[in-house]
Amino acid sequence: MIEQIRKCQKCNLCFNQKPLLDTEKECQIFWVGLSAKKVLTDVELPLSPETNTGMIIHKIEEACHNVIAYKTNLVKCLPLTEQEKIRYPNKNEIDCCFEHLLYEIQTMSPQIVFLLGEKVYSTVERKMQIKFKKWNDFNYHYKRIDGIYYVPIHHPSYIYVYKRKKIQNYIDSIENVINQLL
């Protein structure tokens, strides 16, 4: 099903790197980051445990035994500067790729979609014409849309860099949200 995303060439980012996609599966949890990272092999996945973000997500998943998760990004391909350095995707690149996210959600049927960071959740707000209540410390709020809970949370990289001493509080808070909603 997601093969059509793999073949996408709607913007030029696909020439930097093919779309980075997880293995297609029905899941309970969906993690949505901002954009793909540079990969060295064809078997790497989005939000890999080898990254700081992926490592924290992996710890959350371990705490929630037997939860099936799918990992993706708003922008599936790698945004690079002219100097070949990774950069944030621009609004046009995000908008161009947004329908892929909706297709993934429809295909994988998650119960919970975690939106990692402000850039991700504000894009979902804008594109889906909804308004989220922003978190307060590690108290996360959610909105149910078409039977799916959308939960904006701090980006794990932000927690790793700026709130490292509170990583366990972050993990515990998200584990509580998962236990409450599943």
Side-chain angles (χ1 to χ4, degrees):
M1 286 274 205
I2 59 175
E3 254 337 281
Q4 72 185 45
I5 299 172
R6 231 179 270 290
K7 295 175 184 173
C8 178
Q9 293 188 351
K10 291 192 314 184
C11 72
N12 290 331
L13 295 183
C14 62
F15 300 111
N16 296 337
Q17 177 177 288
K18 291 179 187 176
L20 185 60
L21 298 167
D22 198 347
T23 305
E24 185 177 333
K25 60 189 162 241
E26 282 206 13
C27 60
Q28 297 155 299
I29 296 177
F30 222 70
W31 301 98
V32 184
L34 182 60
S35 64
K37 68 175 186 82
K38 192 171 194 91
V39 296
L40 304 174
T41 69
D42 288 340
V43 296
E44 291 184 59
L45 301 173
L47 305 170
S48 162
E50 282 77 47
T51 66
N52 295 332
T53 294
M55 176 261 307
I56 293 173
I57 289 171
H58 182 73
K59 287 181 179 182
I60 295 166
E61 291 174 346
E62 281 183 330
C64 301
H65 309 286
N66 302 318
V67 168
I68 300 168
Y70 179 85
K71 298 169 186 74
T72 193
N73 290 296
L74 279 181
V75 176
K76 314 301 181 206
C77 298
L78 180 65
L80 293 174
T81 65
E82 291 176 9
Q83 296 78 31
E84 301 288 311
K85 301 275 187 195
I86 193 164
R87 62 171 173 78
Y88 286 123
N90 63 42
K91 181 182 179 295
N92 290 337
E93 292 161 343
I94 291 169
D95 289 350
C96 185
C97 206
F98 192 78
E99 71 181 44
H100 293 321
L101 176 66
L102 296 177
Y103 183 71
E104 287 174 300
I105 291 170
Q106 178 186 354
T107 302
M108 270 40 103
S109 303
Q111 294 168 284
I112 305 170
V113 176
F114 284 105
L115 306 170
L116 307 181
E118 196 160 344
K119 287 185 187 309
V120 174
Y121 91 73
S122 62
T123 296
V124 172
E125 277 184 328
R126 179 174 54 84
K127 297 295 284 180
M128 295 178 75
Q129 299 179 337
I130 58 173
K131 186 73 178 154
F132 290 113
K133 183 176 177 184
K134 189 169 180 182
W135 56 78
N136 179 11
D137 196 27
F138 295 124
N139 296 314
Y140 298 110
H141 309 281
Y142 53 83
K143 187 166 280 241
R144 191 169 188 197
I145 303 162
D146 296 328
I148 299 170
Y149 294 101
Y150 289 80
V151 188
I153 61 174
H154 292 92
H155 196 290
S157 290
Y158 169 83
I159 299 298
Y160 185 83
V161 172
Y162 298 105
K163 306 280 186 185
R164 191 173 300 190
K165 291 180 180 175
K166 295 190 173 193
I167 287 176
Q168 193 58 50
N169 300 61
Y170 176 74
I171 291 169
D172 293 344
S173 293
I174 296 169
E175 179 187 1
N176 287 337
V177 170
I178 291 169
N179 289 335
Q180 178 185 351
L181 299 179
L182 286 186

